[in-house]
């Protein structure tokens, strides 16, 4: 969890106070949104782009959570809770388990467009919320929250955190049109949106729950490995079993380094890396505790 002070309610909820955003803050949102929208056509999965359109999260400025929450609630029963920053794990999981997405309210400064360590409102709303309009993904996120509460009790948060990292934050999905992005950490990052699909260097491996849970990750650079799902139903089905025996099984197996390949990996070969892309990640760095 991050430094979020001591004077918050038990669920760390705050008011967004949308009317208090400055014109400069709205202008930064517009800059980020317009740049990312251009990049994501043909790179983001159709479900994300559909959700973005249906939500009406547009380039005009920072969205009002009250209006956004009404649209989201009508679609999938999810709502948005304003929070001051990263919240304790049990609070975070409880929000998800109750179909509430905790979102920060602040937006990065103009000189931070390309890199930000903490999640801001652009990452949380533009990166995460559009997919919550998809019924299957919405159920996956709720199941993840329920699983998180169990994992805390079982002492296996690290393994479950890797599942969040490699799916919700940095997941890729195979579509009929080719490889696409659904992970929010990528979707809110200009550099990684291109890198994850087009760079030759990272591994792209077919999703395997145990493999994901054993794999370490980088928090301050582009990912060295991405896991590719077939569809969101596969992801939801993977969270259906009781994880307790799976945790027991992988507890005796070694962790896998972020850039490693193992003999059982099924590489995704549809990607057509066409050009190298350098540059730093725009977006956020997550703490292991948060995810
Ligand atoms: Fe995130």
């Amino acid at each position: 969890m991050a430094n979020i002070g001591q004077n918050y309610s038990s669920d760390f909820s705050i008011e967004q106070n949308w009317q208090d955003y400055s014109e400069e803050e709205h202008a930064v949102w517009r800059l980020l949104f317009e740049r990312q929208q251009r990049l994501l056509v043909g790179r983001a999965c159709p479900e994300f782009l559909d959700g973005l359109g249906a939500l009406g999260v547009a380039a005009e400025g920072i969205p009002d959570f009250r209006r956004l929450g009404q649209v989201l609630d009508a679609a999938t029963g999810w709502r948005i809770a304003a929070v001051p920053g990263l919240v304790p794990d049990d609070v975070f999981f409880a929000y998800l388990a109750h179909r509430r997405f905790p979102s920060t309210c602040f937006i990065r400064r103009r000189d931070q467009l390309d890199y930000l360590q903490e999640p801001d409102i652009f990452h949380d709303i533009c990166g995460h919320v559009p997919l919550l309009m998809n019924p299957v993904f919405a159920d996956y996120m709720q199941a993840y929250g329920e699983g998180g509460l169990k994992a805390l009790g079982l002492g296996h948060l690290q393994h479950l955190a890797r599942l969040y990292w490699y799916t919700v934050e940095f997941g890729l999905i195979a579509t009929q049109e080719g490889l696409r992005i659904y992970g929010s950490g990528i979707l809110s990052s200009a550099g990684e949106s291109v890198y994850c699909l087009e760079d030759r260097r990272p591994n792209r491996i077919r999703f395997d729950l145990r493999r994901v849970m054993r794999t370490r990750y980088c928090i301050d650079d582009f990912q060295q490995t991405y896991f590719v799902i077939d569809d969101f139903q596969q992801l939801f089905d993977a969270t259906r079993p009781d994880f307790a025996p799976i945790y027991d099984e992988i507890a005796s197996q070694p962790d896998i380094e972020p850039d490693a390949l193992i003999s059982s990996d099924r590489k995704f070969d549809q990607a057509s890396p066409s050009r190298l892309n350098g540059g730093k990640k725009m977006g956020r760095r997550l703490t292991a505790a948060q995810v």
Side-chain angles (χ1 to χ4, degrees):
M1 60 177 284
N3 298 322
I4 49 178
Q6 303 294 321
N7 300 318
Y8 295 107
S9 59
S10 59
D11 65 358
F12 292 84
S13 61
I14 58 173
E15 291 295 323
Q16 183 192 17
N17 293 323
W18 181 80
Q19 67 283 353
D20 292 342
Y21 287 112
S22 67
E23 182 45 43
E24 170 62 11
E25 289 172 318
H26 285 298
V28 170
W29 173 280
R30 285 194 290 272
L31 264 177
L32 288 166
F33 186 90
E34 287 166 1
R35 182 169 71 168
Q36 211 52 9
Q37 196 175 37
R38 281 195 299 274
L39 273 173
L40 293 184
V41 173
R43 290 191 172 94
C45 66
E47 293 88 346
F48 176 85
L49 296 173
D50 289 348
L52 194 63
L55 272 174
V57 178
E60 286 85 48
I62 296 171
D64 186 335
F65 288 176
R66 289 169 298 190
R67 191 201 63 75
L68 216 52
Q70 287 172 356
V71 180
L72 191 56
D73 192 11
T76 58
W78 274 76
R79 286 173 293 149
I80 299 166
V83 293
L86 300 178
V87 297
D89 299 321
D90 58 334
V91 175
F92 179 70
F93 293 136
Y95 269 127
L96 299 188
H98 291 89
R99 295 176 91 86
R100 296 180 74 199
F101 188 77
S103 173
T104 48
C105 300
F106 81 97
I107 191 158
R108 69 196 74 182
R109 298 189 311 267
R110 193 176 287 265
D111 62 354
Q112 297 172 312
L113 289 190
D114 290 327
Y115 186 71
L116 189 68
Q117 288 195 341
E118 297 294 325
D120 71 344
I121 190 172
F122 182 73
H123 170 83
D124 282 338
I125 297 301
C126 222
H128 281 285
V129 174
L131 273 180
L132 292 174
M133 294 285 282
N134 177 274
V136 180
F137 192 83
D139 287 348
Y140 171 69
M141 286 290 276
Q142 179 183 8
Y144 185 87
E146 292 166 348
L149 293 171
K150 287 182 198 164
L152 276 177
L154 295 170
H156 281 279
L157 185 58
Q158 181 186 56
H159 291 125
L160 194 72
R162 292 169 179 169
L163 177 62
Y164 191 93
W165 186 268
Y166 282 116
T167 61
V168 177
E169 294 292 351
F170 292 96
L172 297 180
I173 184 168
T175 75
Q176 289 187 336
E177 288 72 40
L179 195 58
R180 294 289 185 271
I181 306 162
Y182 74 91
S184 308
I186 308 173
L187 291 165
S188 58
S189 164
E192 194 152 4
S193 293
V194 176
Y195 168 88
C196 72
L197 297 178
E198 300 176 20
D199 197 287
R200 294 178 182 279
R201 287 169 288 184
N203 302 319
R204 299 174 184 88
I205 303 169
R206 295 281 185 179
F207 177 84
D208 177 276
L209 180 66
R210 289 163 178 78
R211 166 64 155 101
V212 169
M213 286 185 168
R214 290 176 56 200
T215 308
R216 298 179 191 271
Y217 52 77
C218 319
I219 61 171
D220 56 2
D221 203 350
F222 294 158
Q223 299 305 297
Q224 294 168 293
T225 294
Y226 298 96
F227 291 93
V228 182
I229 61 169
D230 296 326
D231 51 39
F232 292 129
Q233 192 62 48
Q234 178 191 19
L235 204 50
F236 183 61
D237 290 345
T239 59
R240 207 185 294 274
D242 179 6
F243 280 179
I246 298 173
Y247 293 145
D248 289 343
E249 179 187 328
I250 61 177
S252 60
Q253 298 174 338
D255 284 346
I256 300 169
E257 293 304 313
D259 63 341
L261 288 170
I262 61 174
S263 60
S264 58
D265 286 340
R266 292 183 302 135
K267 293 185 79 171
F268 183 85
D269 57 12
Q270 190 180 332
S272 53
S274 58
R275 61 181 184 269
L276 297 177
N277 178 68
K280 289 296 293 180
K281 177 166 69 177
M282 177 190 95
R284 64 170 298 186
R285 185 177 78 172
L286 293 172
T287 68
Q290 178 65 74
V291 299

